[in-house]
Every structure is written in C-alpha cells, then in structure tokens.
Amino acid sequence: MTDSVVDSILKARYLREGEKDYDDICRRVAEALGENEDEIRDYYSEMLSLRFLPNSPTLMNAGTELGQLSACFTLYVGDSISEIFDAVSWGAQIHKTGGGTGYNFSNIRPEGSPVCSTDGVASGPVSFMKVFNAATEVIKQGGRRRGANMGILNVWHPDILNFIESKKNEGDIANFNISVMVNDEFMELVEAGEFDKVWIHHPNTGEDITVGAVWEGIINGIWRNGEPGVLFYDEINRKNMTPNLGSIDTTNPCGEQPLLHFESCVLGSLNLSKFIYKDVLDRKALERSTRIAVRFLDSVIEKNVFPIPQIRIATRRTRKIGLGLMGVHDALLMLKLAYDSPEGRDFCEETMAFVNEISADESHRLAAEKGAFPAFKGSVWGDYEVRNAAMTTIAPTGTISLLAGCSSGIEPVFSYAYTRKDTVQKTFEMIHPLFESELEKTLSGIGKSPSEVKDLKRKAINHVHETGTIQDLLWLPESFRRIFKTALDIDWRSHVLMQAAFQRNVHASISKTINMPESATKKDIADVLLLSWHEKIKGLTIYRTGSRQSVVLELSKRE
Ligand code: UDP
C-alpha cells in the first residue's frame, strides 16, 4: 500500500486534533483501553505492527469525548408510528458516532392494512424504510463517513415482493443494503420445485403470492444489481449462542453480525499475512495476538460510551465481540496455496478453528478473572464459563485492510493492479507487492534475462491492470497462474466453499461477496443460493460483474 493512500485515509477518518500519524492513533487507543502498563504496551504494539486492528469507530473515537467504539448495531422496529420513529432517532444517534445499524422491518403491518387510530391505511415497511434512508442521508457519521444500514424483511411478510423490488434502480434507497430473511421451509419448497404453491396470501390486495414469484424476485434482483442479499434465518438461529434470550432476526449493515435487538458488537481483525514466517504459519505468534485481541475487544465493552441505554443493557448482557481475520488471501499467496483449492480451504479452516478455540479459551480465562457474561445461564456454553457470548466474526475490513495494506477480510484479491478510488474521491494506482516480487522471481527462475524479466513484468502488470486476470497469459508458468487468481478468476462454487470453511469456525457470520462473471445466468444465481444454504452459510451477497455502474474498485487502463 502506498503511503499516500494511508495518509489520505488517516487524514479523512482517524487523526484527531494534535495527532500527526498512525503511531499517535495507536498510542491514544491503547491508552484508552489498556488497564495497566503491560496491556497498553501489548495493544499499542499489536496495532502498530499491523498484526491487529479494531474496527474504525474504535480507531476514531477511543480516548475521545465521543467514546463510541462499535461498528455494529441492530435496533428494534415496532409497528406503531412512535416505535418506528423512535428507531429512526436511535439510528441517527448511532450513525453520528460511526456505527452502522440493522433493522428487521417485518413487524410493520403490510401496505393497505387498516390503521385504527386514524381510519386510514398503512403504507407498509418499504415506505418507512425510505424515511430511515432520508434520515441517514443528512447525518454523516461523526462528520467522517455516511451511515450504513441493513434493511431486512422476512420472506413470509406479505409485502415481500415490493421489498425485493425496492432497490430495483441503482441509487434507490442508497443508504441501505437490503436482505431477505429466508427460512428452511421456503428453501425446501424451492428445492422441491414447488414454485406454483401459494406461499403467502396478501391480506389487503388479495393476491396469492407463490413460492416461484418470491424466488424469481430474489434471483432477478440479484442478477440485475446484486440486491437483495439473502440471510438464512434457521441457520442463524441454530447457531444462536443465547437462545435463552430469544431468536435472532437482524444483522448489522454488511451482514457479518447477527444480533438480538439492541445489541452492539465491536469488531477487530488479525492480519493473517503478518503471521506467515518463512513459508509457514507461526501459530505461537497467532495465539499470542489472538489472546491480546480478545482482551482488547472485551475492554471495549467496558469503556464504550453507548449511544442509548437499551444498547448498553443488551450489549453488556451478552458481551459479544467479533474477532476475525483479514489478509487471508495474502497469506495464501505467501504459502503458495490457491484460494480455490482444497488445500487452501483446509488451511483456512484449520487456522480459523485455531483462532476460534484460542478466543474461547481467552474468554474463559477472562471469565475466571472478571466473571462470565450475565446471560450465561441457558446459553450454548453449558458449564464452560466465558466472558463473551460470541467471540468471532469475519468483517469486511473495508478501511482497516487498507490501513494494514492487506487483502480485505477473507476475500480474494480483486486485481493485482488496479486504480483505487477512495471514499474521498482521490484515485491511486495500486500494484500488489507480492504479485510483483513473485512475478520477478518466477520469470528469473525460468531463465529469462534481466531485461526480458523487466519487459515481461511490465507486460503482465499492464495486462492484469486492464483485464483483471493473468490466466490468459500462457507464457507465464501454470504454477504461477494457479496461485495468482483474482476474485473473478475464482468460480462461484469455490467462493461459497471458502465461506463455508470459515463459517464452520466462526460464531457470528461472515461478510463475503460471491463474485460472478457478467455472463452468469439466473440459474447460476439460484444454484449459488441453494449451495450456500446446504453448506450452512448464514448469509451472503452475490455480485455479477458489470451489473452496477458505481463500484469502488475499478480496473482501468494505465494512463
Ligand atoms: N460500517 C458503517 N459505515 C461504513 C462502513 C462500515 O457503519 O461506511 C459498519 C457496518 O456495520 C459494517 C462494519 O462497520 O458491517 C464493519 O465494516 P468494515 O469492516 O468495512 O469497517 P472498517 O473497520 O474497515 O472501517
């Protein structure tokens, strides 16, 4: 990552008054969260070395008056006007502090239902979602970024078709990602091909909505522009860590954190590429950093200034934290494991299982020191006392991976050379450093002279910059091409299987986009959803190349 990219992000987002560089930020955050000298030193050095980074709100607000440190929130939306507008107000307060909010709108009565108090008719969940969207538009997060929202409707809500179509045109309800919460019953009917079966009867329009109409609506939307996302209600609840507190029907904006109403969660990510030494994973170092990260995130719950009392109460009851990995594809590249290979997936699954296990062990130690989370009795943890109901999550790491200079979350590298347009609209030319160095080694290794290496290297970089792939450069050895695949070279099945490999060892969920080529058919999209459901994924987003005009990452010709 070039210094100018990091500088521009630091200036736009993280530096507070009087701070000049990343070191200052690490010091402020460590001092705000560490309880003693040792903890402060550990937190500082984990962040400074880019082995571990907490989510943006912690970097922005720790040690400041605002003091709100979590990225993820879910709110309750009731069916009355006062309950709906309470949620609008809570959402605005959360956005102001840098958090993102998720809402399930299914309590809101369907469009056309009678409203007794006014003798009028209800306008339905989608019209209210537009109110939340407008409120978000005017509240910039702590003056630093625009608020993000997740809008969810259960597949059994009568307005589901209207909801699915609500983001039909690019730019509609722009401050929301939308997701349909499907259940096993619906997926089973789809799988059995029962498309003509009536799924819901709309009480006001009298319309009989079939399984096929809902399924086609979802598929068409995804094919058209990647919305809606899909969440799997039953899988989320089979893995609910605190069934004693009720079922879960909401996630945060990017889907990685299913939460009970009013819960919040702080995320943090270990940069896996920093734990590969001499072509092997240094498990000892990873264990040490994992333990420090768990303590760090638990401390956030203590120090956090919660925006409203309901959130403080719900968050302290379960003390969920979301530790995950980023730089995963970079680590695979260093180990020469292909992202789309069984070996690559096995490595990821084992590594995540290790992080998950160590996280639980550290939370267990914390429980012995400071007590288990208050809602522990009746949770899935049985007799094993832990301080946090859930410890692991895979975040998108949209900004923190840029700061760390690593691949984001568990996503494959998008392109080894590209133009980056950041959130403050500056553009940067980026070349992946591992790609460049391995390319040079590989070309020298096959006997090319230094001047040939230079020429061919430039050719390959230009090519990947323009097209996003090197798979058609047959003069590059197959062993190199097999490893240096990009998000678009990787078939959808491998994307899904990688997500599933992680999900088996993550308590919460995973932010992941299943990238598909422009030529992907609606049948392909249906197959992705069915496979994801079978693979016990909790939720996903699918994106078909070229289906939206505005994307953050762009391939473009070199100037
Ligand atoms: N988020 C948000 N606004 C944004 C980006 C992210 O509210 O512009 C929230 C949202 O809940 C998301 C979470 O932060 O799911 C984590 O996103 P990411 O990992 O990309 O954040 P980072 O810490 O890298 O900024």
Side-chain angles (χ1 to χ4, degrees), residues 440 444 447-456:
E440 207 168 302
S444 308
K448 302 288 177 196
S449 68
S451 75
E452 281 173 323
V453 170
K454 200 168 156 231
D455 279 359
L456 291 173

Side-chain angles (χ1 to χ4, degrees), residues 89-102:
S89 158
W90 296 327
Q93 291 174 62
I94 292 167
H95 290 169
K96 217 174 66 180
T97 68
T101 44

Side-chain angles (χ1 to χ4, degrees), residues 55-56 71 99-100 141 145 148 252-254 256 267 395-400:
N55 56 204
S56 287
Q141 293 185 321
R145 59 181 183 180
N252 72 318
C254 304
E256 70 274 18
L267 308 175
T397 71
T399 316
I400 60 167

Side-chain angles (χ1 to χ4, degrees), residues 284-442:
K284 247 196 162 130
L286 183 59
E287 173 172 345
R288 182 170 187 278
S289 294
T290 302
R291 290 190 186 279
I292 296 171
V294 167
R295 282 184 177 258
F296 179 111
L297 296 174
D298 186 66
S299 161
V300 167
I301 297 171
E302 287 305 293
K303 304 281 162 65
N304 212 347
V305 178
F306 293 99
I308 56 171
Q310 294 93 318
I311 288 175
R312 186 184 62 243
I313 292 163
T315 306
R316 292 228 170 130
R317 190 159 52 209
T318 54
R319 305 186 66 87
K320 289 176 180 170
I321 56 172
L323 178 63
L325 298 177
M326 60 181 169
V328 168
H329 195 198
D330 287 349
L332 290 169
L333 295 174
M334 292 163 91
L335 295 168
K336 303 199 170 47
L337 290 171
Y339 189 96
D340 55 355
S341 66
E343 299 75 31
R345 287 192 288 275
D346 286 351
F347 168 77
C348 289
E349 186 160 353
E350 281 163 25
T351 306
M352 194 63 223
F354 179 67
V355 170
N356 210 28
E357 187 191 314
I358 299 296
S359 299
D361 189 58
E362 190 61 22
S363 183
H364 179 60
R365 289 185 189 178
L366 274 169
E369 283 170 39
K370 303 179 177 183
F373 65 94
F376 173 75
K377 278 210 174 75
S379 75
V380 298
W381 292 98
D383 294 333
Y384 185 75
E385 290 212 344
V386 286
R387 184 149 174 84
N388 315 90
M391 298 107 194
T392 47
T393 302
I394 301 287
T397 71
T399 316
I400 60 167
S401 66
L402 286 175
L403 284 183
C406 65
S407 56
S408 57
I410 63 161
E411 294 290 5
V413 170
F414 176 76
S415 174
Y416 294 98
Y418 63 94
T419 303
R420 175 145 203 117
K421 231 192 287 173
D422 71 5
T423 44
V424 283
Q425 295 305 313
K426 280 197 180 170
T427 59
F428 299 91
E429 304 288 328
M430 317 287 297
I431 300 170
H432 195 289
L434 271 174
F435 177 78
E436 204 171 357
S437 60
E438 281 302 313
L439 185 59
E440 207 168 302
K441 256 195 245 165
T442 304

